[in-house]
C-alpha cells in the first residue's frame, strides 16, 4: 500500500509563525502607540496586524504547496510502478500508450493497460475499472499484477482471462473485509456493484490477432485510409458481476499487416463530451490521423489526445487511455511467394463518410 505520511511540523517550520506571533503580541502590549486611541495609532495598529496576518497566510500557503508537490510526486511514482511506461517496440510490434486522468491534479486513474512479449506472441490487456482516481488504483494494481504473470505462464488466452477474473474476485473480497471489520469472519459480497471491462489481445508471431472481450469497446483498425472496428461481435459481460463461461471463446480477428494500426481505448475517450454535450468523434479523429504522414503509433496518440483536450476544454469528465499498436514486421517468405497468403478473412473496416 502506498501512503503519504503526515509529518509533524519541524522546528524550522514553526520558527516563522512564532516570530510573527511574538511580534504582534510584543507590539500590542509593549508599544505605547498601540495603547493610544487616536486615528493614526489605529491605522498603524491595523497595518501591523495586517502584515502579521499576511505573513502567516503566505507561510501556510507555501507549506500546503510543498505538501501538494510531494503528493503529486508520490502519485507519479505510483503510476510508474503500477501503470508502467511501455517500451516503444515489443516482439516486432511498435507501441505507444498514454492516459488522461479525470481527477484534477492526479496522474493515476481507473484505466489500465499493459503489453508484454511472450513465447506465445505479444499479449495486450486494456481495461476500465468502475470509478476513477486513486480509489481505483488498488483494483488496477491487482489486475495488472495478475496479467503480467499469467501472460507468460498460460499458453491459452482464455486461461489468462480466468486468472484475471480470480485476481479481481480476491481483491474485492479482501477490500470488503478491510472496509467492514465488524463483519470479520462473515463472507462479504464485494462484487454486487463492482465491475471491470477487459479486452485481451494476442498478436502471434505470424501477425494473427486473437481476442477476448469482456464488456470493453472493440479496438479500431487503421488500414490505409480506412478506419473501422476490429470486430462487431457482442462482447462477454464485464468481469465482476457475472461468472465467466466454462470455455470463453477466443475470437480470431485476422492478421495485423505491416502498415496497419490497432487503436485500443477506454470509453472515456469515445464518450467524452464538449460544452454542448456532443460526444468526441473518435473515428473521425482517427481518419484525420491516418491522412497525416508519417503514420506511427506516436503521431496517432498525439493527434487523438490533442483533439480530445480541445473537445473537452482541457477538462475531461472521465479517465481516458489509448494504446496504439503497429506491426513492424516485414512480410515473411511465404507471403512474398504468395501475396494472397498475407490476407485472411476479417471484419471489413468501413470508410468514414
Amino acid at each position: 500500500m502506498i501512503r503519504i505520511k503526515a509529518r509533524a511540523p519541524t522546528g524550522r517550520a514553526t520558527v516563522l509563525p512564532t516570530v510573527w506571533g511574538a511580534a504582534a503580541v510584543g507590539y500590542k502590549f509593549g508599544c505605547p502607540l498601540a495603547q493610544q486611541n487616536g486615528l493614526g495609532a489605529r491605522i498603524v495598529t491595523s497595518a501591523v496586524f495586517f502584515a502579521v496576518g499576511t505573513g502567516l497566510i503566505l507561510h501556510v500557503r507555501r507549506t500546503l504547496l510543498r505538501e501538494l508537490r510531494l503528493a503529486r510526486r508520490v502519485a507519479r511514482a505510483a503510476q510508474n510502478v503500477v501503470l508502467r511506461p511501455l517500451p516503444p517496440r515489443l516482439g516486432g510490434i511498435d507501441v505507444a500508450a498514454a492516459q488522461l486522468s479525470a481527477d484534477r491534479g492526479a496522474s493515476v486513474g481507473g484505466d489500465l493497460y499493459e503489453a508484454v512479449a511472450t513465447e506465445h506472441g505479444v499479449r495486450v490487456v486494456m481495461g476500465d475499472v468502475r470509478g476513477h482516481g486513486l480509489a481505483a488504483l488498488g483494483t488496477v494494481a491487482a489486475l495488472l499484477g495478475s496479467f503480467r504473470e499469467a501472460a507468460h505462464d498460460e499458453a491459452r488466452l482464455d486461461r489468462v482471462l480466468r486468472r484475471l477474473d480470480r485476481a479481481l474476485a480476491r481483491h474485492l473480497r479482501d477490500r470488503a473485509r478491510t472496509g467492514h471489520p465488524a463483519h470479520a469472519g462473515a463472507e462479504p459480497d464485494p462484487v454486487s456493484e463492482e465491475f471491470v471491462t477487459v479486452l485481451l489481445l494476442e498478436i502471434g508471431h505470424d501477425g494473427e490477432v486473437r481476442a477476448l472481450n469482456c464488456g470493453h469497446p472493440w479496438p479500431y483498425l487503421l488500414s490505409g485510409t480506412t478506419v473501422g472496428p476490429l470486430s462487431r461481435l457482442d462482447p462477454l459481460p464485464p468481469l465482476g458481476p457475472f461468472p465467466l463461461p466454462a470455455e470463453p471463446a477466443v475470437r480470431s480477428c485476422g492478421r495485423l499487416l505491416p502498415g496497419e494500426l490497432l487503436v485500443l481505448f477506454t470509453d472515456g475517450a469515445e464518450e467524452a463530451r464538449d460544452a454542448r454535450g456532443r460526444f468526441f468523434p473518435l473515428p473521425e479523429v482517427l481518419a484525420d490521423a491516418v491522412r497525416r504522414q508519417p503514420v506511427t503509433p506516436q503521431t496517432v496518440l498525439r493527434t487523438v489526445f490533442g483533439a480530445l483536450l480541445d473537445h473537452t476544454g482541457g477538462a475531461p469528465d472521465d479517465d481516458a487511455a489509448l494504446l496504439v499498436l503497429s506491426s513492424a514486421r516485414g512480410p515473411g517468405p511465404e507471403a512474398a511467394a504468395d501475396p494472397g497468403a498475407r490476407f485472411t478473412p476479417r471484419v471489413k473496416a468501413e470508410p468514414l463518410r
Side-chain angles (χ1 to χ4, degrees), residues 220-222 227 263 265 281-291 300 303-304 322 352:
Y220 281 107
L221 173 67
L222 281 57
V227 177
V263 180
F265 59 95
L282 181 58
E284 287 80 358
V285 173
L286 292 176
D288 178 65
V290 297
R291 286 193 292 266
V300 171
T303 300
V304 173
L322 257 71
L352 294 170

Side-chain angles (χ1 to χ4, degrees), residues 178-205:
T178 303
H180 303 281
H183 299 285
E187 188 65 22
D189 180 19
V191 298
S192 56
E193 296 182 358
E194 292 287 346
F195 64 87
V196 181
T197 66
V198 171
L199 173 68
L200 285 177
L201 290 184
E202 179 182 277
I203 305 176
H205 301 293

